[in-house]
Amino acid sequence: MTYVLHHVVVLMLAVGTGAWLLRTSWTHRAPHTGVVLWQATIAGGISAVIGTAFAIGLSPYQRGVASGLVLVVGDVASGRPTGLNLAHLVALVVGVLITGFVIARLAWHAFRATRARRRHRDLLRLVAHPSATAPGHDHVVLDHSAAAAYCVPGVRPIVVVTRGVYDLLTTDELDAVLAHEAAHASQRHDLALAPFHALPNRGVLGRARSDVAALVEMCADDIALRRHHVAVLRSALHRMACSGHASPASTLGATTGIERRLARLTEPNRRTSPLAKCLALALALTGATTPLSLFLFPL
């Protein structure tokens, strides 16, 4: 039962970390670290659940998951008794089903997102045109009165701005918004969000998904602030939030998580210590790799 206890401990740590992440505002001061913490927490929690099921099923072998599965397959293939009872077999089936469910959800989300973004790009080729009034920013313009700015992510990302944004924002505010969306494109923030969009959008997982989406937008805000004053970006976001227009599905929009972002940009001190970031990243790495090590290496 040693492997079972180890996986259960990792699962409890993942649950505790997730509960803390949902309550704390510390990640707003270090959004990049917050995204990594969430990724490690979800990965560690799912791995621990799967590992617990497999560890129970393979307990007669007293091995890690990988080596235990090899021994089971070898015993079955050779006709030797496996020493597994009904409870062990049920646990193995549960582990296989959870693993299959997670893989299927990830694959289905990737397929749907890719298809939606391809269709969106095809439409943009028909109705959008390159901007000639904002030099230094590679984006296309939609002739629509609604104020919206978003990034269609992918290998060839496209930043889209409507004519309503040009009418709504000043030149400096427009530049700040474009820098924000360019950060989404260059940093591939869609990949950071993909695992969370693949999970069920209910309960704690839904709240985690919303929190990570806001943190990703904060990451893009920080990159935009390297070139633009905080008051300019804050004013631009406030104006766009008041316009009330959401971005299309499967895109990264400028007004996601707007309330928390505006509150964050209003705070006088948004920095956190490098030591705290390093400790948090070390915790995340440990939590994410411990289940994997229990899968591969016998104790």
Side-chain angles (χ1 to χ4, degrees):
M1 297 296 291
T2 303
Y3 283 99
V4 177
L5 292 175
H6 277 74
H7 283 292
V8 169
V9 169
V10 173
L11 178 59
M12 293 175 62
L13 290 173
V15 171
T17 303
W20 173 74
L21 287 171
L22 288 173
R23 293 195 305 267
T24 187
S25 61
W26 178 85
T27 53
H28 295 180
R29 300 195 301 272
H32 289 86
T33 305
V35 171
V36 174
L37 278 172
W38 264 121
Q39 290 173 327
T41 298
I42 295 298
I46 293 175
S47 300
V49 170
I50 295 171
T52 300
F54 278 127
I56 293 173
L58 299 169
S59 56
Y61 289 91
Q62 295 298 310
R63 297 274 182 163
V65 172
S67 56
L69 288 174
V70 170
L71 291 174
V72 168
V73 172
D75 287 347
V76 171
S78 62
R80 294 191 300 267
T82 62
L84 304 179
N85 58 30
L86 180 60
H88 297 139
L89 293 175
V90 169
L92 287 176
V93 170
V94 169
V96 171
L97 289 177
I98 296 175
T99 303
F101 173 77
V102 172
I103 293 174
R105 290 279 303 194
L106 290 170
W108 177 241
H109 167 72
F111 170 75
R112 289 185 60 188
T114 301
R115 182 178 60 181
R117 290 164 186 167
R118 184 184 300 116
R119 289 176 178 175
H120 200 116
R121 290 189 184 91
D122 291 341
L123 289 174
L124 289 174
R125 293 189 186 97
L126 296 175
V127 299
H129 58 85
S131 170
T133 59
H137 295 287
D138 186 12
H139 67 285
V140 298
V141 179
L142 283 174
D143 289 322
H144 198 285
S145 60
Y150 58 90
C151 171
V152 184
V155 178
R156 292 183 295 275
I158 302 175
V159 174
V160 183
V161 178
T162 63
R163 181 60 59 186
V165 172
Y166 278 82
D167 298 334
L168 179 69
L169 303 182
T170 66
T171 301
D172 289 342
E173 290 171 345
L174 174 62
D175 286 343
V177 169
L178 289 173
H180 171 98
E181 297 304 329
H184 284 319
S186 62
Q187 300 295 311
R188 291 305 308 269
H189 287 155
D190 57 302
L191 298 181
L193 285 169
F196 299 91
H197 284 301
L199 295 174
N201 189 24
R202 294 187 297 272
V204 174
L205 292 177
R207 293 174 60 192
R209 174 175 169 174
S210 175
D211 194 56
V212 173
L215 290 174
V216 164
E217 294 298 326
M218 293 176 190
C219 292
D221 288 342
D222 285 350
I223 294 175
L225 290 176
R226 296 173 186 174
R227 296 175 49 194
H228 301 276
H229 193 274
V230 62
V232 174
L233 179 60
R234 184 173 62 240
S235 174
L237 293 178
H238 178 72
R239 286 171 180 263
M240 294 191 65
C242 291
S243 69
H245 296 288
S247 301
S250 298
T251 65
L252 297 171
T255 56
T256 302
I258 193 68
E259 294 84 2
R260 282 177 283 182
R261 292 164 58 200
L262 287 173
R264 174 178 181 260
L265 293 173
T266 307
E267 295 175 2
N269 184 7
R270 298 179 293 104
R271 295 181 179 273
T272 190
S273 69
L275 177 60
K277 291 182 181 180
C278 290
L279 290 175
L281 291 174
L283 174 64
L285 182 62
T286 302
T289 57
T290 297
L292 180 61
S293 65
L294 294 174
F295 284 3
L296 299 178
F297 305 112
L299 293 176

